[in-house]
């Protein structure tokens, strides 16, 4: 089992920055990639950024150039640095961990952290 706990959300003005953190515990050696998703009211959950165990990373077009994902295996932490925030970035952000045996084993999810971008 893997547990994921997010933190760092809050209220920020347009153009501002926030950094989300996701701390992992449990059988994390089985996790091959980590990602951040977000979900706004009435919308489907969407993939924001991901980073593979080997370091390969990727971003949704809507956040490319503004958001950066990073991980520290020793600290068992994944971050999402969000710059130049826009009102449309408002959502609940979820940390995701994909096990090596996916889809036989389900993804792991954190409880979510609210990000609100508003003046």
């Amino acid at each position: 089992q893997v547990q994921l706990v997010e933190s760092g959300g809050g209220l920020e003005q347009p153009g501002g920055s926030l950094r989300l953190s996701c701390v992992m515990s449990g059988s994390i050696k089985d996790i091959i990639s980590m990602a951040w998703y977000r979900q706004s009211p009435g919308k489907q959950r969407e993939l924001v950024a991901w980073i593979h165990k080997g370091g390969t990373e990727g971003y949704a077009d809507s956040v490319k150039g503004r958001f950066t994902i990073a991980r520290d295996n020793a600290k068992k932490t994944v971050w999402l640095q969000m710059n130049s925030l826009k009102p449309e970035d408002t959502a609940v952000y979820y940390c995701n961990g994909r096990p090596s045996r996916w889809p036989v084993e389900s993804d792991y999810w954190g409880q979510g952290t609210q990000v609100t971008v508003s003046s």
Side-chain angles (χ1 to χ4, degrees), residues 55-68:
T56 304
E57 58 189 65
Y59 301 89
D61 287 343
S62 58
V63 306
K64 201 171 292 184
R66 300 188 298 122
F67 290 11
T68 303

Side-chain angles (χ1 to χ4, degrees), residues 62-82:
S62 58
V63 306
K64 201 171 292 184
R66 300 188 298 122
F67 290 11
T68 303
I69 190 170
R71 66 185 290 173
D72 185 324
N73 292 329
K75 294 182 179 179
K76 302 177 184 179
T77 303
V78 177
W79 295 277
L80 184 68
Q81 177 67 43
M82 305 185 295

Side-chain angles (χ1 to χ4, degrees), residues 1-70:
Q1 275 295 80
V2 173
Q3 294 78 42
L4 306 175
V5 179
E6 303 103 330
S7 61
L11 174 64
E12 183 57 69
Q13 294 185 345
S17 298
L18 284 173
R19 188 171 84 155
L20 306 182
S21 299
C22 174
V23 178
M24 302 176 276
S25 61
S27 302
I28 63 171
K29 67 179 187 303
D30 294 329
I31 300 299
I32 59 168
S33 66
M34 298 294 297
W36 288 93
Y37 285 73
R38 66 186 182 188
Q39 188 168 21
S40 304
K43 294 186 177 181
Q44 287 190 335
R45 190 172 295 189
E46 64 171 346
L47 177 62
V48 176
W50 65 95
I51 185 165
H52 190 268
K53 196 173 186 178
T56 304
E57 58 189 65
Y59 301 89
D61 287 343
S62 58
V63 306
K64 201 171 292 184
R66 300 188 298 122
F67 290 11
T68 303
I69 190 170

Side-chain angles (χ1 to χ4, degrees), residues 66-108:
R66 300 188 298 122
F67 290 11
T68 303
I69 190 170
R71 66 185 290 173
D72 185 324
N73 292 329
K75 294 182 179 179
K76 302 177 184 179
T77 303
V78 177
W79 295 277
L80 184 68
Q81 177 67 43
M82 305 185 295
N83 299 328
S84 302
L85 284 164
K86 303 176 180 180
E88 50 264 44
D89 294 319
T90 295
V92 177
Y93 283 70
Y94 296 91
C95 181
N96 165 277
R98 176 148 292 177
S100 58
R101 296 184 66 211
W102 181 86
V104 174
E105 293 185 6
S106 300
D107 282 344
Y108 297 102

